[in-house]
Amino acid sequence: MTVSLDHIRNFSIVAHIDHGKSTLADRILELTGTVSQRDMKEQLLDRMDLERERGITIKAQAVRIMYTAQDGQLYQLNLIDTPGHVDFSYEVSRSLAACEGAVLVVDATQGVEAQTVANAYLAVENDLELIPVLNKIDLPAADVAEAELEVHELTGATSDEIITLSAKTGVGVVEVLEAVVARVPPPVGEVDGAPRALIFDSQYDQYRGVVAYVRVVDGSFSRRQLIEMMGTSQRAEIEELGYFGPDMVPAETLYTGEVGYIITGVKDVAQVRVGDTVVSQRQRAAEPLHGYKVVHPMVFCGLFPLEEHRFSELRDALDKLKLNDAALSYEPESSQALGFGFRCGFLGLLHMDIVRERLEREYDLDLLATTPNVEYHAYLTNGDVVEVRNPAQMPPAGRLEHVEEPYVAASIIVPTEFVGAMMELCQGRRAEFVDMKYLSPERVEMHYRLPLGEIVLDFFDQLKSRSRGYASLDYEFHGYRQSDLVKLDILLAGEPVDALSLIVPRERAHARGKALAEKLRQKIPRQLFEVAVQATIGNQVVARETIKAKRKDVLAKCYGGDITRKRKLLEKQKEGKRRMKQLGVVEVPQEAFLAVLELEPEAKDH
Amino acid sequence: MGGPVAPASRPPTRSVHHLYVHVPFCRGRCDYCDFFSLAVDPGAAAGAQLLDRYLDALLAEFELERQRLGLRRLRTVFLGGGTPSLLGVPRLERLLRALEPLLTPAAEVTVETNPEDVDSAYAAWAAGRGLRVSLGVQSFDRDLRRTLGRSTVADPLAAMALLREAGCANRGVDLIYGIPTQDMAALARDLAVVCHLRPEHVSWYELSVEPGTPLATRLADGDVERGARSTERGDDGEGAADRAAEMQRAIVRRLERAGYRWYEVSNYALAGRQCRHNSAVWRGEQYVGLGPAAVSTLGEHRRRNLPDVEQYLRVLAWPVGGTSAGAPPREEEVLSAPVRARERLLLAARTGARVPLTEVAPVLERAAVPSLVRAGLVGEAGGTLWITRKGRMVANAVCVRLFRDSYVKGTTCR
């Protein structure tokens, strides 16, 4: 069914995490009959098990909705669901580029949060019509007046422009759809012009190759058409195209303004880049569409298979994950302690966590992850610059001119009563205060510049615990700055363990060395021998702890009937050791490699 | 240096010289015990009848095994339980008469005995028969026995005196340490009594609180204190193991000074008085077990009679000497070569026996040996390997370290 351009609306739903974005999407699908009652389930657009379990959206999803509005006309609405977490804001920005409007969901019990602000700005930057809505008005804790005030401050929207609703009960959902029809402008494009489509996402299908998610900007695309990706010059024939309903529904043609998918049989994801422009070979458009910034990983960690011989399985698994996760990067790495693995780059800690969990779950790998770190720029005395993604590879102090580390511009939104606690936290993390503004008499938005390296530790947890869960955080990369940093090494039983090395600010190096050695002593169970844990900077030992030797570990009785039981117990213990890493004579449990994440905040701050 | 070189595991065809008889009855269940045993009152008619029927069934199973295995000479017999002494002298006598034709002249016959069953008649019978009596004392301290839920009526000292006066020349005592509330001073008192009595043999076990036992429940409820808790900064959850180590060291030190040899994790004996039956089991020799829940290890087979007295009595209810009695229901395990090698290593770890490297090579993580030798936990010389006295205290961890990772080598443990 062909719909004229002025009856198409492309929009996104954006929100701070947990503000009810996916629930609103569910209700819209239900109300418009896009999904039958029978097939309806919660978080319908979140396809991954992990998304459902964690109640979050990781991957953007698109769906076409046919909606008969109150003016009696039939509209085609293309809804693009987006992730809410700061790690995945690049997914949001890509999706927004395929839309003309965005529904900004704000939890009426929470008010405006950091990602609400970030998403609102993103929408404005993309020239989108913003439809602010207050969700969860059915909850007793909802404070509509206060939330309205905050939304007004943020977006300038007047009270009658802000829709109140409950995605849970369905109240107000029709009003949202009517607002989309009335306020979101229809797409503008040359219906008869040279065809152009923007790839805003892609997915890899084992059997069919790359599935490109596209928004047709000009002209139209049909089956068997010969196309080209402008950026990569990859040429192909369209094998299948169609729209999301929400499953893929094949169609003959995708017209101007429509959102859908294109399958060409191209297997190489690198050839179908997100942000690239699809054009027709026969009627080749001259100019590409405005694409996206390439995403750069911000956080790195080493991933090693616990069983060394499974290295190639890990590589295959990463190759496959990468197909659907453009932001993931990885390069082979070898560690004296852990053998062969990969230094992987992620958008943030949640992203890292999710990739690791998917590798373990979907590919049945037992992994050991090292402490996350950022990318340092080491300026050498000979004028070279080295990018250091693994602390163990920081050049020795003698060759260093200076070191730079990434900073972020962070915004924290918090009730006024916690401002002091937030300042204290930020000061302890080498943060530089920029400014502070009142969103309302009760809530404040604080701006800081701080080293990303401080955030990748437990900053977010601290932020939440020191504000009783009320603070929200958003940040973006803000360039590199010179810092006085040193490498802290850990020795176990006299042997350096490269995987435990850290880059730390010089003035805190001693305290962290002490705290880390102490934490490792707690994390590493007693061995058959006494084991010394030492923290060193250069050749200087700054802390030493001792893991005592096991003194008794033997069953009292072992007679005829006990032998089988006892043997099985020992065999089981042996198997259990596979979760441990043997470093020289020391058996180290996985958690020990993340010990630094658990350092007491006091130990870090002094 | 390690102990004497243990002989190679017997091939399955060699004859069986060791017999274990399980007597799964007690007057009452002790709070810490998770062995298979039923409460029986031998004084009551029903109890006496049950014990008589049980003896019939035992003798039937013995006859069955005698014929099947071609038992000809028994070097050791061990009557364990439960409480074998609860059978009473007449029934025990009947059992021994049946075994007698097979016993070698120097055969070791052990009867686990409860102090309350020892009167002068029992002592005289045991002495006359030349039995090895293993007395279940647990502690000479009455309060500690009460904590364990043991009978506090019987006096172990009186029982020991009766046995000595009757001329019983091979007495052993079974003791427990690490009893809730027991401190080093209480342990020293038990040690002093043992050294004063000077039994030929001492078994001294660390109390293990088995899940599901009444003692475990009481400890969980906080009715009994677990002993002084360590609150020092260095407590890493191994405080209990440290305290147990301290107690065991005290026991080893004191008993060795008194002339006992520490020949297994929990066993000590005067010269030549090691329990020959258990030593044979620990060397990996074949033995046959009779009675419900009894285990036999015969070549590559380990089998266990199911712990079901009723069924056992029913299946074996045929006249003694009859041929139609069926074998009791059993579960059986086949011991593969790697499994036997691992067992050999784990048993040797408990006794310090030297193991020829050639026998355990396939299951041994060779790379683990040098660091264990350096730490003084393992010895290696002349193509043999042994676990030292220091290693014996941490035998579990040493074995786990010594076992080759079977997954990597493709010989799965399960």
Side-chain angles (χ1 to χ4, degrees), chain A residues 152-211:
Chain A
H152 170 71
E153 291 273 308
L154 176 66
T155 65
T158 57
S159 168
D160 50 312
E161 287 169 333
I162 300 169
I163 300 165
T164 55
L165 69 110
S166 162
K168 205 170 104 195
T169 64
V171 170
V173 176
V174 172
E175 284 73 5
V176 174
L177 288 170
E178 286 298 319
V180 167
V181 168
R183 285 153 62 180
V184 174
V188 230
E190 307 265 337
V191 178
D192 302 315
R196 289 195 300 176
L198 178 71
I199 303 176
F200 67 88
D201 202 354
S202 72
Q203 195 189 322
Y204 186 78
D205 182 292
Q206 209 182 328
Y207 305 104
R208 316 178 67 184
V210 182
V211 180

Side-chain angles (χ1 to χ4, degrees), chain A residues 307 309-310 518 521-522 524-526 528-529 545 547-575 577-578 582 584-585 587, chain B residues 177 205-206 233 236 238 241-242 244-245 248-249 265-267 278 281-282 287 295 302 333 339 342-343 346-347 350 371-372 375 377 392-401 403 405 407 413-414:
Chain A
E307 293 149 297
H309 64 281
R310 299 187 70 188
E518 157 88 22
R521 181 179 64 73
Q522 293 165 8
I524 300 173
R526 287 199 196 184
L528 284 165
F529 337 85
E545 292 275 342
I547 301 164
K548 287 195 258 180
K550 243 181 213 294
R551 293 193 59 201
K552 190 165 191 297
D553 179 15
V554 61
L555 294 184
K557 293 192 180 189
C558 187
Y559 297 108
D562 306 320
I563 297 173
T564 294
R565 199 158 52 114
K566 179 169 162 83
R567 187 197 74 240
K568 286 188 173 161
L569 177 84
L570 296 186
E571 284 168 349
K572 211 170 144 192
Q573 284 180 7
K574 183 76 193 183
E575 289 200 18
K577 294 287 186 206
R578 290 205 197 111
Q582 184 83 38
V585 296
E587 280 165 344
Chain B
Y177 72 88
Y205 307 103
E206 182 190 352
R233 171 179 160 278
D236 48 7
E238 297 245 1
D242 282 353
Q248 172 130 19
R249 270 169 222 265
V265 171
S266 306
N267 285 283
N278 286 333
V281 171
W282 295 328
Y287 59 93
V295 173
R302 176 165 299 140
E333 177 190 5
V339 161
R342 274 195 286 268
E343 289 192 350
L346 81 86
L347 290 171
R350 301 179 63 88
S371 61
L372 293 170
L377 301 164
R392 195 180 297 175
M393 294 287 281
V394 287
N396 282 1
V398 170
C399 284
V400 168
R401 194 81 185 78
F403 285 174
D405 194 330
Y407 176 85
C413 308
R414 292 187 210 107

Side-chain angles (χ1 to χ4, degrees), chain A residues 20-208:
Chain A
K21 187 169 42 68
S22 294
T23 315
L24 176 59
D26 286 351
R27 279 303 88 72
I28 289 175
L29 297 184
E30 214 175 50
L31 192 91
T32 54
T34 310
V35 176
S36 70
Q37 204 80 44
R38 185 172 52 87
D39 296 332
M40 196 59 212
K41 51 184 175 184
E42 265 182 56
Q43 273 184 269
L44 189 116
L45 294 179
D46 292 337
R47 293 303 170 91
M48 263 184 265
D49 284 348
L50 211 59
E51 292 182 311
R52 305 182 152 276
E53 264 169 46
R54 296 194 176 204
I56 55 172
T57 305
I58 298 168
K59 192 93 182 136
Q61 288 291 338
V63 60
R64 177 185 292 189
I65 296 159
M66 298 311 292
Y67 175 63
T68 307
Q70 282 162 5
D71 62 9
Q73 314 239 11
L74 185 65
Y75 290 86
Q76 180 197 106
L77 312 181
N78 290 299
L79 158 62
I80 299 168
D81 192 20
T82 59
H85 192 275
V86 57
D87 279 8
F88 302 105
S89 54
Y90 81 104
E91 292 256 0
V92 180
S93 63
R94 288 186 340 204
S95 308
L96 293 185
C99 298
E100 282 78 36
V103 174
L104 177 70
V105 181
V106 178
D107 184 335
T109 70
Q110 308 282 324
V112 168
E113 299 279 13
Q115 264 110 58
T116 315
V117 178
N119 286 328
Y121 287 154
L122 268 179
V124 171
E125 276 169 30
N126 282 282
D127 283 332
L128 302 195
E129 175 66 32
L130 204 58
I131 303 173
V133 304
L134 298 180
N135 189 18
K136 307 194 190 180
I137 56 165
D138 57 308
L139 294 182
D143 187 346
V144 175
E146 164 75 17
E148 230 173 53
L149 191 66
E150 291 181 8
V151 170
H152 170 71
E153 291 273 308
L154 176 66
T155 65
T158 57
S159 168
D160 50 312
E161 287 169 333
I162 300 169
I163 300 165
T164 55
L165 69 110
S166 162
K168 205 170 104 195
T169 64
V171 170
V173 176
V174 172
E175 284 73 5
V176 174
L177 288 170
E178 286 298 319
V180 167
V181 168
R183 285 153 62 180
V184 174
V188 230
E190 307 265 337
V191 178
D192 302 315
R196 289 195 300 176
L198 178 71
I199 303 176
F200 67 88
D201 202 354
S202 72
Q203 195 189 322
Y204 186 78
D205 182 292
Q206 209 182 328
Y207 305 104
R208 316 178 67 184

